[in-house]
Amino acid sequence: SHKLRPDKAGAAMRATIEWRRRHNVDALREFVLGHRQEDFPLHDHCHRYFWTPIYIPRGADSEWPPFMLINSPILHPSALMKRITIDDYVVYSMHMSEWMAAHCDRITRKTRHLTKAVRVVALGGLRLRHASMAFARAASAAAKDHVDCYPQNLGHLFICNAPRAMKIIWDTAA
């Protein structure tokens, strides 16, 4: 957050505007608003091996924030990364992020209350076979700019059925 730091807030805004210009995000927003998630590039691969749908409760005109469901035990990131490149994943992730951000922006304008997306991560049944260094690199590449350029997509995070080891790591880090 850049509260009470106008110099940092201005620098962040300029960086975001430049990033959006460089990646032609205005055209991307127009595309994602006119299409379903199923129409996004590489959706077939991503949906089959890394199904993380974004829902808008009560339909597109709802005032509820969008939420992404990440059901970890059914994901196969290593299988996905055998079929697409890191750059492919970054492009797919940009489509999903822009779609979610557009809906957050629409709700914010309608309600005049800042709307941020919700992520629900279900970890029950997660096993070591779900780990993939190739996917970790792809997710890291996608997240690098998304954290700064899509702050409305980082609202609440709910982690369900976390393994005991994760709680120990979390408590240690906190």
Side-chain angles (χ1 to χ4, degrees):
S1 173
H2 300 300
K3 293 178 183 173
L4 305 176
R5 300 289 309 268
D7 55 329
K8 289 198 175 211
M13 187 183 311
R14 285 188 295 279
T16 297
I17 290 169
E18 172 56 25
W19 181 85
R20 292 181 69 83
R21 185 198 60 73
R22 190 172 60 247
H23 293 285
N24 200 18
V25 177
D26 289 340
L28 176 62
R29 179 165 285 215
E30 188 176 316
F31 173 82
V32 299
L33 287 176
H35 293 83
R36 300 171 306 147
Q37 294 174 44
E38 294 82 14
D39 298 330
F40 296 173
L42 301 166
H43 182 270
D44 290 341
H45 289 305
C46 293
H47 182 73
R48 182 176 304 134
Y49 301 105
F50 201 77
W51 188 64
T52 53
I54 301 171
Y55 297 101
I56 306 226
R58 299 186 181 175
D61 292 328
S62 169
E63 293 180 9
W64 287 62
F67 75 91
M68 176 182 274
L69 175 61
I70 303 168
N71 190 1
S72 299
I74 68 165
L75 305 179
H76 301 286
S78 58
L80 174 64
M81 296 315 296
K82 289 177 183 172
R83 289 159 178 82
I84 67 172
T85 67
I86 290 174
D87 289 341
D88 290 340
Y89 182 77
V90 169
V91 168
Y92 178 76
S93 181
M94 279 181 62
H95 280 75
M96 295 293 278
S97 293
E98 189 62 28
W99 191 87
M100 193 175 345
H103 286 284
C104 286
D105 291 348
R106 178 190 54 77
I107 296 165
T108 295
R109 285 188 193 96
K110 182 177 180 180
T111 64
R112 296 179 184 252
H113 295 283
L114 180 61
T115 301
K116 292 192 171 197
V118 176
R119 292 175 192 250
V120 178
V121 182
L123 296 175
L126 188 65
R127 300 288 178 264
L128 192 56
R129 69 180 168 86
H130 294 101
S132 165
M133 285 308 295
F135 182 76
R137 285 189 290 276
S140 176
K144 185 175 71 174
D145 291 323
H146 293 207
V147 170
D148 294 330
C149 298
Y150 291 110
Q152 65 273 52
N153 290 354
L154 305 171
H156 299 285
L157 172 66
F158 296 98
I159 299 176
C160 307
N161 301 319
R164 181 170 276 158
M166 186 173 182
K167 181 179 178 358
I168 293 167
I169 293 168
W170 187 271
D171 290 345
T172 303

Short mmCIF file of all heavy atoms in Angstrom, two decimals, residues 39-63:
data_model
loop_
_atom_site.label_atom_id
_atom_site.label_comp_id
_atom_site.label_asym_id
_atom_site.label_seq_id
_atom_site.Cartn_x
_atom_site.Cartn_y
_atom_site.Cartn_z
N ASP A 39 -13.36 -19.03 -24.20
CA ASP A 39 -12.83 -18.52 -25.47
C ASP A 39 -11.41 -17.98 -25.34
O ASP A 39 -10.80 -17.62 -26.35
CB ASP A 39 -13.73 -17.39 -26.00
CG ASP A 39 -15.15 -17.87 -26.29
OD1 ASP A 39 -15.32 -19.06 -26.64
OD2 ASP A 39 -16.07 -17.06 -26.15
N PHE A 40 -10.87 -17.92 -24.13
CA PHE A 40 -9.53 -17.37 -23.94
C PHE A 40 -8.49 -18.29 -24.56
O PHE A 40 -8.67 -19.52 -24.59
CB PHE A 40 -9.21 -17.19 -22.45
CG PHE A 40 -10.08 -16.18 -21.74
CD1 PHE A 40 -9.98 -16.03 -20.38
CD2 PHE A 40 -10.99 -15.39 -22.42
CE1 PHE A 40 -10.76 -15.12 -19.71
CE2 PHE A 40 -11.78 -14.47 -21.76
CZ PHE A 40 -11.66 -14.33 -20.40
N PRO A 41 -7.38 -17.73 -25.06
CA PRO A 41 -6.32 -18.56 -25.64
C PRO A 41 -5.84 -19.61 -24.64
O PRO A 41 -5.69 -19.31 -23.46
CB PRO A 41 -5.20 -17.56 -25.95
CG PRO A 41 -5.85 -16.23 -25.98
CD PRO A 41 -7.04 -16.30 -25.07
N LEU A 42 -5.62 -20.80 -25.11
CA LEU A 42 -5.11 -21.93 -24.32
C LEU A 42 -6.06 -22.39 -23.23
O LEU A 42 -5.67 -23.16 -22.35
CB LEU A 42 -3.74 -21.59 -23.71
CG LEU A 42 -2.68 -21.25 -24.75
CD1 LEU A 42 -1.48 -20.60 -24.09
CD2 LEU A 42 -2.27 -22.49 -25.50
N HIS A 43 -7.30 -21.96 -23.29
CA HIS A 43 -8.25 -22.37 -22.26
C HIS A 43 -8.42 -23.88 -22.21
O HIS A 43 -8.53 -24.46 -21.12
CB HIS A 43 -9.61 -21.70 -22.45
CG HIS A 43 -10.58 -22.08 -21.38
ND1 HIS A 43 -11.40 -23.17 -21.49
CD2 HIS A 43 -10.81 -21.54 -20.17
CE1 HIS A 43 -12.12 -23.28 -20.39
NE2 HIS A 43 -11.78 -22.29 -19.58
N ASP A 44 -8.41 -24.54 -23.37
CA ASP A 44 -8.61 -25.99 -23.37
C ASP A 44 -7.56 -26.70 -22.53
O ASP A 44 -7.88 -27.56 -21.71
CB ASP A 44 -8.60 -26.54 -24.80
CG ASP A 44 -9.83 -26.13 -25.57
OD1 ASP A 44 -10.84 -25.73 -24.94
OD2 ASP A 44 -9.79 -26.19 -26.81
N HIS A 45 -6.28 -26.36 -22.72
CA HIS A 45 -5.22 -26.99 -21.93
C HIS A 45 -5.33 -26.59 -20.46
O HIS A 45 -5.25 -27.44 -19.57
CB HIS A 45 -3.84 -26.60 -22.44
CG HIS A 45 -3.48 -27.22 -23.74
ND1 HIS A 45 -3.51 -28.57 -23.95
CD2 HIS A 45 -3.08 -26.67 -24.90
CE1 HIS A 45 -3.15 -28.83 -25.20
NE2 HIS A 45 -2.89 -27.69 -25.80
N CYS A 46 -5.49 -25.30 -20.22
CA CYS A 46 -5.52 -24.82 -18.85
C CYS A 46 -6.73 -25.37 -18.10
O CYS A 46 -6.63 -25.76 -16.94
CB CYS A 46 -5.50 -23.30 -18.80
SG CYS A 46 -3.93 -22.62 -19.40
N HIS A 47 -7.86 -25.43 -18.76
CA HIS A 47 -9.08 -25.94 -18.12
C HIS A 47 -8.94 -27.44 -17.79
O HIS A 47 -9.36 -27.89 -16.74
CB HIS A 47 -10.28 -25.71 -19.03
CG HIS A 47 -11.57 -26.15 -18.45
ND1 HIS A 47 -12.20 -25.48 -17.44
CD2 HIS A 47 -12.34 -27.23 -18.72
CE1 HIS A 47 -13.32 -26.12 -17.12
NE2 HIS A 47 -13.42 -27.17 -17.89
N ARG A 48 -8.32 -28.17 -18.69
CA ARG A 48 -8.19 -29.62 -18.48
C ARG A 48 -7.22 -29.96 -17.35
O ARG A 48 -7.47 -30.84 -16.54
CB ARG A 48 -7.72 -30.29 -19.77
CG ARG A 48 -7.61 -31.82 -19.63
CD ARG A 48 -7.24 -32.50 -20.93
NE ARG A 48 -8.19 -32.15 -21.97
CZ ARG A 48 -7.84 -31.78 -23.20
NH1 ARG A 48 -6.59 -31.69 -23.55
NH2 ARG A 48 -8.75 -31.47 -24.10
N TYR A 49 -6.10 -29.25 -17.26
CA TYR A 49 -5.06 -29.63 -16.30
C TYR A 49 -4.93 -28.68 -15.12
O TYR A 49 -4.30 -29.02 -14.12
CB TYR A 49 -3.70 -29.71 -17.02
CG TYR A 49 -3.71 -30.71 -18.12
CD1 TYR A 49 -3.76 -30.31 -19.45
CD2 TYR A 49 -3.71 -32.08 -17.84
CE1 TYR A 49 -3.78 -31.24 -20.47
CE2 TYR A 49 -3.75 -33.01 -18.85
CZ TYR A 49 -3.78 -32.59 -20.17
OH TYR A 49 -3.82 -33.51 -21.18
N PHE A 50 -5.49 -27.49 -15.23
CA PHE A 50 -5.35 -26.52 -14.15
C PHE A 50 -6.64 -25.70 -14.06
O PHE A 50 -6.68 -24.52 -14.31
CB PHE A 50 -4.14 -25.61 -14.39
CG PHE A 50 -3.64 -24.97 -13.14
CD1 PHE A 50 -2.89 -25.69 -12.24
CD2 PHE A 50 -3.94 -23.65 -12.86
CE1 PHE A 50 -2.45 -25.10 -11.06
CE2 PHE A 50 -3.49 -23.06 -11.70
CZ PHE A 50 -2.75 -23.79 -10.80
N TRP A 51 -7.72 -26.38 -13.70
CA TRP A 51 -9.05 -25.80 -13.70
C TRP A 51 -9.20 -24.86 -12.51
O TRP A 51 -9.27 -25.29 -11.36
CB TRP A 51 -10.08 -26.91 -13.64
CG TRP A 51 -11.49 -26.45 -13.81
CD1 TRP A 51 -12.02 -25.87 -14.92
CD2 TRP A 51 -12.53 -26.54 -12.85
NE1 TRP A 51 -13.34 -25.59 -14.71
CE2 TRP A 51 -13.67 -25.99 -13.45
CE3 TRP A 51 -12.60 -27.03 -11.56
CZ2 TRP A 51 -14.90 -25.92 -12.79
CZ3 TRP A 51 -13.81 -26.95 -10.90
CH2 TRP A 51 -14.95 -26.40 -11.52
N THR A 52 -9.19 -23.55 -12.77
CA THR A 52 -9.37 -22.54 -11.72
C THR A 52 -10.39 -21.52 -12.21
O THR A 52 -10.05 -20.41 -12.59
CB THR A 52 -8.03 -21.83 -11.39
OG1 THR A 52 -7.47 -21.33 -12.59
CG2 THR A 52 -7.06 -22.77 -10.72
N PRO A 53 -11.66 -21.89 -12.18
CA PRO A 53 -12.69 -21.00 -12.72
C PRO A 53 -12.87 -19.75 -11.86
O PRO A 53 -12.61 -19.75 -10.66
CB PRO A 53 -13.95 -21.86 -12.68
CG PRO A 53 -13.69 -22.82 -11.56
CD PRO A 53 -12.22 -23.10 -11.59
N ILE A 54 -13.32 -18.69 -12.50
CA ILE A 54 -13.69 -17.46 -11.81
C ILE A 54 -15.20 -17.35 -11.91
O ILE A 54 -15.77 -17.42 -13.00
CB ILE A 54 -13.03 -16.23 -12.45
CG1 ILE A 54 -11.51 -16.36 -12.42
CG2 ILE A 54 -13.48 -14.95 -11.74
CD1 ILE A 54 -10.78 -15.30 -13.22
N TYR A 55 -15.84 -17.20 -10.77
CA TYR A 55 -17.30 -17.11 -10.71
C TYR A 55 -17.73 -15.70 -10.34
O TYR A 55 -17.06 -15.02 -9.59
CB TYR A 55 -17.85 -18.07 -9.65
CG TYR A 55 -17.57 -19.51 -9.91
CD1 TYR A 55 -16.54 -20.16 -9.24
CD2 TYR A 55 -18.33 -20.23 -10.83
CE1 TYR A 55 -16.28 -21.50 -9.47
CE2 TYR A 55 -18.07 -21.57 -11.06
CZ TYR A 55 -17.04 -22.19 -10.38
OH TYR A 55 -16.79 -23.51 -10.62
N ILE A 56 -18.89 -15.34 -10.84
CA ILE A 56 -19.54 -14.11 -10.41
C ILE A 56 -20.87 -14.55 -9.81
O ILE A 56 -21.78 -14.92 -10.54
CB ILE A 56 -19.77 -13.13 -11.57
CG1 ILE A 56 -18.47 -12.88 -12.27
CG2 ILE A 56 -20.47 -11.89 -11.06
CD1 ILE A 56 -18.10 -11.52 -12.60
N PRO A 57 -20.95 -14.57 -8.47
CA PRO A 57 -22.20 -15.03 -7.84
C PRO A 57 -23.39 -14.20 -8.29
O PRO A 57 -23.29 -12.99 -8.45
CB PRO A 57 -21.94 -14.83 -6.35
CG PRO A 57 -20.46 -14.75 -6.21
CD PRO A 57 -19.96 -14.17 -7.50
N ARG A 58 -24.47 -14.87 -8.55
CA ARG A 58 -25.74 -14.24 -8.94
C ARG A 58 -25.69 -13.55 -10.29
O ARG A 58 -26.45 -12.65 -10.57
CB ARG A 58 -26.20 -13.26 -7.87
CG ARG A 58 -26.45 -13.93 -6.54
CD ARG A 58 -27.05 -12.96 -5.58
NE ARG A 58 -27.26 -13.62 -4.30
CZ ARG A 58 -27.69 -13.00 -3.24
NH1 ARG A 58 -27.94 -11.71 -3.28
NH2 ARG A 58 -27.86 -13.66 -2.13
N GLY A 59 -24.74 -13.91 -11.15
CA GLY A 59 -24.74 -13.41 -12.52
C GLY A 59 -23.94 -12.15 -12.76
O GLY A 59 -23.45 -11.51 -11.84
N ALA A 60 -23.82 -11.80 -14.02
CA ALA A 60 -22.94 -10.71 -14.45
C ALA A 60 -23.35 -9.35 -13.92
O ALA A 60 -22.52 -8.46 -13.81
CB ALA A 60 -22.89 -10.68 -15.97
N ASP A 61 -24.61 -9.13 -13.58
CA ASP A 61 -25.04 -7.83 -13.07
C ASP A 61 -25.02 -7.77 -11.55
O ASP A 61 -25.46 -6.79 -10.95
CB ASP A 61 -26.46 -7.51 -13.57
CG ASP A 61 -26.48 -7.28 -15.07
OD1 ASP A 61 -25.46 -6.79 -15.60
OD2 ASP A 61 -27.49 -7.61 -15.71
N SER A 62 -24.49 -8.79 -10.92
CA SER A 62 -24.45 -8.87 -9.47
C SER A 62 -23.51 -7.83 -8.87
O SER A 62 -22.58 -7.35 -9.52
CB SER A 62 -23.97 -10.27 -9.07
OG SER A 62 -23.69 -10.33 -7.70
N GLU A 63 -23.74 -7.49 -7.61
CA GLU A 63 -22.83 -6.61 -6.88
C GLU A 63 -21.88 -7.43 -6.01
O GLU A 63 -21.11 -6.86 -5.25
CB GLU A 63 -23.63 -5.63 -6.02
CG GLU A 63 -24.42 -4.65 -6.87
CD GLU A 63 -25.22 -3.66 -6.06
OE1 GLU A 63 -25.05 -3.61 -4.82
OE2 GLU A 63 -26.02 -2.94 -6.66
#
